[in-house]
Amino acid sequence: MSYFTPDIECAPYKKMRALQSERLAQAVRRAYVSVPHYRETMDKKGVTPADVRTVDDLPKLPFLTKDDLREAYPYKLLAVPKSEVVRIQSTSGTTGKRVVAFYTQNDIDKWDECCARAIVAAGGTRDDVVHVCYGYGLFTGGPGLNGGSHMLGSMTLPMSSGNTERQIQFMCDLGSTILCCTPSYAAYLAESIIAKGLRDKIRLKAGIFGAEAWSEEMRRDIEAKLGIRAYDIYGLTEIAGPGVSFECAEQTGMHVNEDYFIPEIIDPDTGETLPEGARGELVFTTIAKEAFPVLRYRTRDICALSRKPCSCGRTLVKMAKLMGRTDDMLIIRGVNVFPSQIETVLLQEGYSPNYLIVVDRVNHTDTFEVQVELTPEMFSDTVRQVAQQEKKLVRAMRSMLGISPRVSLVAPRSIARSEGKAVRVIDKRKI
Ligand code: DLL
């Protein structure tokens, strides 16, 4: 087994808790002194930095929300003089103010280290050729994995997203061994590589896929098509970017880089902290960031934490695969529906993970349609056979979701592919 920082990644629980408590107390003190927002919200709650001495004191602190971050645009949460900032990254939000996150050189070094740990956990070494087709620029995906690959000393291909022809050509000619992109783009690349008959020309052994929710079925599909092992990676601009947590060879959840980030799970309705194993909203506190410290940020991501021993030897707590976000969840005719549930049904039934959910409201009633691509084999079927397939899918979805969508089978490759995060839902009720 190889690790990037074994003394941290495999540290005994008590040692990690002590390190976290020490760093947390310092981080809270610094945030209180340097950022008026933290001082005001802590004063309002009657908490002083002296009250937060260990990780157990975390629930005393107020939450930070996306609205707080937007409100703070651009500089109100900056905790160091501007002269110490070397980089910004920003969220891809299309509405309202963007969130801007700041980094000192130390912050970048730690983030690179988190991503290097992720690449090593996926079997990467300095002998690998790391092909990064996450977007570069304000999005954290490209810069994060690029930095991790550099730190590890691997040959790094800063491809960025788009231009699928060129991606495949470089992959074949330069012998890329580790692919880093969104899972939906990996699925598209796999489809294109197979369509071009180039499956034998690629040398990939692993993929590091994240930035959007994806199911176990999608993992198996990509692994089979590309002949690789596909690892999940999680992160968010507000906290650091990719590498907040990462998967190891066991592929049963993502180890959180606990020396830099403390995760909690809360009940999204009451804000109450939930015990290990319970599913709820993920909350993060950064304990080593200089420029943009974040205390108890409500991510809106839904998942559970586990401290079950891992066969890889890492002791870092694991996040289960994300179920989705509290704000991804559609409520259709009163029933909670996550796009990931639909993806699971489609892959179980032998379809591709290309689908579009269209929700509308007609005469005060929600309409719910799922457009699904026919497989190339089904394309030549008769109208009657296609109608039967649609019925079968409706039954499978009803049993997963508790309500029935209208399923429309459309021609192969007719649903738009994405080079970054996939767009799976059109909710016309909000327009
Ligand atoms: O997506 C950072 C990232 C880049 C992660 C590359 C992994 C790989 P944002 O654009 O700020 O940052 O979006 C963050 O994306 O709150 C989750 O809802 C979602 N997300 C990120 N990783 C995963 C994952 C990047 N592995 C938001 N599974 C997060 C499910 C994910 N959702």
Side-chain angles (χ1 to χ4, degrees):
M1 206 69 73
S2 77
Y3 309 101
F4 197 67
T5 47
D7 51 332
I8 292 289
E9 292 171 74
C10 308
Y13 174 69
K14 270 198 174 157
K15 188 177 157 205
M16 178 56 74
R17 279 299 260 208
L19 176 73
Q20 286 183 320
S21 294
E22 188 192 319
R23 289 189 174 173
L24 174 66
Q26 266 172 17
V28 171
R29 253 193 325 271
R30 279 192 1 142
Y32 188 87
V33 172
S34 340
V35 183
H37 173 87
Y38 289 120
R39 195 158 55 243
E40 281 155 26
T41 53
M42 282 172 63
D43 285 351
K44 206 163 148 201
K45 215 172 168 226
V47 195
T48 68
D51 296 325
V52 184
R53 278 178 301 174
T54 75
V55 178
D56 295 331
D57 297 321
L58 206 47
K60 293 179 186 166
L61 290 170
F63 290 118
L64 183 74
T65 64
K66 186 102 169 174
D67 285 344
D68 294 329
L69 290 184
R70 290 205 177 110
E71 198 52 43
Y73 177 88
Y75 283 122
K76 288 193 205 119
L77 285 176
L78 181 61
V80 295
K82 263 190 246 171
S83 56
E84 287 182 32
V85 175
V86 297
R87 170 104 67 80
I88 69 148
Q89 302 288 161
S90 181
T91 52
S92 49
T94 47
T95 54
K97 289 179 186 165
R98 279 170 167 269
V99 173
V100 175
F102 303 91
Y103 302 75
T104 62
Q105 187 57 52
N106 270 333
D107 293 333
I108 299 273
D109 294 345
K110 289 185 174 122
W111 178 25
D112 288 350
E113 186 187 347
C114 290
C115 289
R117 289 180 193 172
I119 298 171
V120 171
T125 68
R126 53 176 300 129
D127 297 329
D128 277 297
V129 178
V130 179
H131 188 114
V132 184
C133 41
Y134 285 113
Y136 280 63
L138 290 174
F139 180 57
T140 53
L145 269 308
N146 195 94
S149 175
H150 271 214
M151 187 172 261
L152 183 56
S154 317
M155 179 164 136
T156 313
L157 274 52
M159 301 298 300
S160 197
S161 54
N163 202 336
T164 302
E165 294 276 321
R166 189 177 59 192
Q167 302 280 2
I168 297 174
Q169 189 189 342
F170 271 60
M171 211 176 276
C172 295
D173 295 348
L174 291 164
S176 307
T177 54
I178 299 185
L179 175 64
C180 306
C181 60
T182 56
S184 50
Y185 192 55
Y188 178 44
L189 275 171
E191 198 177 69
S192 309
I193 288 166
I194 292 167
K196 287 175 187 297
L198 293 173
R199 174 69 169 71
D200 293 341
K201 297 275 180 298
I202 58 163
R203 297 281 162 268
L204 290 177
K205 65 174 191 189
I208 302 180
F209 306 137
E212 62 188 6
W214 52 309
S215 58
E216 278 305 327
E217 288 75 10
M218 183 144 168
R219 185 208 303 266
R220 283 196 285 277
D221 190 54
I222 298 171
E223 286 189 334
K225 287 196 173 124
L226 287 177
I228 60 170
R229 294 196 65 187
Y231 299 92
D232 205 351
I233 184 167
Y234 169 86
L236 59 168
T237 317
E238 295 86 331
I239 300 299
V244 170
S245 64
F246 59 92
E247 239 176 11
C248 62
E250 203 181 85
Q251 294 179 304
T252 54
M254 295 172 276
H255 291 286
V256 177
N257 280 308
E258 286 188 279
D259 51 333
Y260 297 143
F261 316 106
I262 306 180
E264 294 172 88
I265 296 287
I266 62 159
D267 177 325
D269 297 325
T270 64
E272 188 196 338
T273 309
L274 298 178
E276 184 197 325
R279 186 198 287 179
E281 182 179 348
L282 190 56
V283 169
F284 272 108
T285 299
T286 65
I287 48 174
K289 268 177 51 172
E290 295 177 340
F292 198 66
V294 171
L295 303 182
R296 298 199 89 203
Y297 179 61
R298 292 187 61 155
T299 64
R300 304 191 197 172
D301 289 324
I302 300 161
C303 94
L305 298 175
S306 163
R307 287 207 177 270
K308 280 203 198 100
C310 183
S311 60
C312 78
R314 285 178 185 78
T315 48
L316 300 172
V317 70
K318 270 199 221 171
M319 287 168 47
K321 212 164 190 19
L322 258 70
M323 171 89 192
R325 296 173 53 81
T326 48
D327 46 7
D328 254 8
M329 190 180 78
L330 291 158
I331 303 183
I332 304 174
R333 291 174 226 143
V335 177
N336 298 349
V337 174
F338 287 95
S340 57
Q341 294 173 301
I342 290 176
E343 184 179 300
T344 298
V345 172
L346 291 181
L347 286 151
Q348 277 168 355
E349 296 288 321
Y351 292 84
S352 73
N354 300 301
Y355 61 97
L356 189 65
I357 302 168
V358 185
V359 189
D360 203 350
R361 186 159 289 161
V362 179
N363 294 332
H364 307 293
T365 308
D366 291 339
T367 61
F368 174 24
E369 180 192 5
V370 183
Q371 295 176 10
V372 182
E373 284 186 4
L374 284 161
T375 60
E377 301 78 56
M378 287 173 187
F379 196 46
S380 51
D381 284 358
T382 62
V383 174
R384 193 157 151 259
Q385 282 167 323
V386 170
Q388 272 167 358
Q389 290 297 336
E390 282 176 347
K391 272 195 193 146
K392 188 160 175 263
L393 263 185
V394 171
R395 273 199 304 276
M397 288 197 197
R398 189 192 311 126
S399 95
M400 169 70 95
L401 307 170
I403 55 168
S404 309
R406 186 159 69 84
V407 169
S408 311
L409 287 170
V410 298
R413 291 174 160 261
S414 64
I415 293 177
R417 303 296 193 260
S418 121
E419 292 163 353
K421 300 190 192 221
V423 177
R424 305 285 196 202
V425 179
I426 298 179
D427 191 345
K428 298 184 181 166
R429 297 173 301 180
K430 289 181 195 146
I431 297 168

